[in-house]
Amino acid sequence: MIIGPADRSLVVVRREGNRWLKTPLAGPLGLDLSVGWPGLTLDRAGLPVVAYTRWHSRSLTSQLILAKIDVRGTPHTQRVTAGGWPKSYTPPPAAPVIVRNGSVHVVETYGVGGAVGTLEWIPRSHTWIGLFLSAGRGGFPIGPMFAVPGRGTIVYAAWTEEFPGSLYGGFPVTLATHGREITENVVSERGVTTGLAMTSHGPELAANEWVAADNFSFSFPAPDAVWAGTVTGGGGSELDGRLAGLAAVPHSGAQDLLLSRPDGLWWFRSRSLPVHVGLTAEPRDDGTVALTGRVQGAHGGHVTVYREHAKTRRETVGTVKPGAGGAFALVDSPRARPIFYRAVYVDPATGIPYAKLLRDPVE
């Protein structure tokens, strides 16, 4: 999917044989209209199914649209919502999900007037029924919405919303489950959701968490933010860089990871993320900082510890080989503070860069 300039158009591009098919879905829209974050899935025939919203910046009204693209590249659209509901301070993101009986549900989230809500839209005869997965006080959604089917009739959904004045940093990442009951859990107190995949370990959620010297800054992101890509769930871990995407590989039990690092964009495929890096920093009276940690699941390789900076290149403190049980230690003499430290272990077998970014700066 390609969102055009100023979020005023939406195009789906797919490859068929030796050629590419382009299917326009929206736009170019007027100055007061824009497209919300769209969601994409494939039906049982491998054809695209897209959900997106049209949002009016003046009235804050929205319209949720579901588009199914046939083999000729022709879209067949239907309106899920009408009458401009729900209103939202930002364009509501949406995602389609195909459940066990083959029908398409759509999940969207919105925020307006100090209230936020996330709904799963379910087709009924010639209309749609909205079921709240989450609702409460808050601000507005940030970033995309993700939804995947689980076992049986279970649907999982994940998203990020801004909560002004929250004690948890203002940007919780939520995972909702709709099975026999509806539950929701905050899996990150401050992050941006970038992927959701159903794996053999259960649902795994990708989010980019950030830390800043001013932990009470509610700007998005904070001007001095340092990022950490995290995958939560039974087979998750923290990685070095920002996660651009997470997807399950059909019929393989593996998952694809798209990771943005200082040296470029990297693509990894793995059945699990079995390595976990731990790190602690202890300031000493002589001005040095003792850095200790452990790499669980390490097999050879080295650990590199960095001083992290938001606006300049990070600095290497040192590189060591993990000892017994994966333990490592270094001593740093930083020239300035506050400072964040990150330990990175690159798995020699897979090349995956596992990491631990300290969430609190060393003052």
Side-chain angles (χ1 to χ4, degrees):
M1 295 182 295
I2 301 174
I3 302 176
D7 300 336
R8 294 197 177 101
S9 64
L10 176 62
V11 174
V12 175
V13 180
R14 64 188 179 97
R15 186 172 183 176
E16 186 173 302
N18 295 323
R19 62 190 183 120
W20 292 89
L21 297 179
K22 183 174 73 171
T23 302
L25 292 182
L29 302 176
L31 294 178
D32 296 333
L33 292 172
S34 60
V35 176
W37 275 95
L40 169 70
T41 190
L42 302 178
D43 66 15
R44 293 176 178 177
L47 296 173
V49 178
V50 179
Y52 66 97
T53 59
R54 293 189 181 195
W55 178 74
H56 197 287
S57 62
R58 290 188 179 181
S59 65
L60 303 182
T61 56
S62 67
Q63 183 180 75
L64 178 59
I65 298 172
L66 178 66
K68 300 178 181 180
I69 301 175
D70 63 24
V71 293
R72 297 180 298 276
T74 302
H76 303 269
T77 62
Q78 61 184 124
R79 289 182 293 182
V80 178
T81 62
W85 193 87
K87 289 186 175 183
S88 182
Y89 286 141
T90 56
V97 56
I98 299 176
V99 298
R100 184 172 60 177
N101 65 5
S103 66
V104 181
H105 296 192
V106 181
V107 184
E108 75 166 335
T109 186
Y110 69 92
V112 68
V116 292
T118 300
L119 297 109
E120 179 183 347
W121 293 98
I122 303 171
R124 289 289 187 271
S125 298
H126 299 290
T127 188
W128 292 80
I129 303 296
L131 183 66
F132 274 97
L133 302 182
S134 176
R137 300 183 63 181
F140 47 83
I142 290 177
M145 162 67 70
F146 296 93
V148 296
R151 295 179 180 177
T153 59
I154 296 176
V155 169
Y156 296 99
W159 68 95
T160 298
E161 288 170 339
E162 191 237 14
F163 278 65
S166 168
L167 294 177
Y168 298 106
F171 300 89
V173 174
T174 302
L175 174 65
T177 305
H178 179 199
R180 293 183 178 179
E181 299 178 345
I182 296 175
T183 61
E184 59 175 315
N185 294 285
V186 174
V187 298
S188 173
E189 296 174 350
R190 179 160 55 178
V192 179
T193 311
T194 59
L196 178 64
M198 188 63 194
T199 72
S200 58
H201 305 282
E204 295 191 354
L205 189 156
N208 290 314
E209 299 181 350
W210 80 89
V211 294
D214 180 5
N215 278 326
F216 295 98
S217 172
F218 299 116
S219 59
F220 176 76
D224 58 345
V226 179
W227 295 85
T230 62
V231 178
T232 66
S237 189
E238 183 174 320
L239 304 176
D240 179 36
R242 297 174 64 169
L243 277 162
L246 169 71
V249 181
H251 314 299
S252 71
Q255 57 189 346
D256 282 344
L257 298 162
L258 193 61
L259 188 64
S260 176
R261 303 185 68 203
D263 54 353
L265 194 63
W266 293 78
W267 172 35
F268 300 98
R269 176 168 291 181
S270 176
R271 289 185 175 272
S272 64
L273 299 172
V275 178
H276 297 84
V277 181
L279 178 65
T280 60
E282 181 182 352
R284 293 176 170 177
D285 293 338
D286 61 359
T288 62
V289 178
L291 301 163
T292 59
R294 185 178 302 274
V295 182
Q296 298 178 1
H299 298 282
H302 296 80
V303 176
T304 301
V305 178
Y306 297 96
R307 304 184 199 102
E308 291 286 356
H309 307 281
K311 299 180 181 179
T312 59
R313 293 179 64 88
R314 62 188 183 183
E315 302 171 303
T316 301
V317 176
T319 300
V320 294
K321 186 174 181 178
F328 63 90
L330 283 168
V331 176
D332 185 34
S333 299
R335 296 186 297 272
R337 303 188 190 192
I339 191 167
F340 288 98
Y341 287 99
R342 189 193 320 251
V344 179
Y345 170 80
V346 178
D347 188 344
T350 64
I352 296 176
Y354 296 92
K356 178 60 180 181
L357 173 67
L358 292 183
R359 298 310 194 252
D360 295 312
V362 175
E363 302 288 350

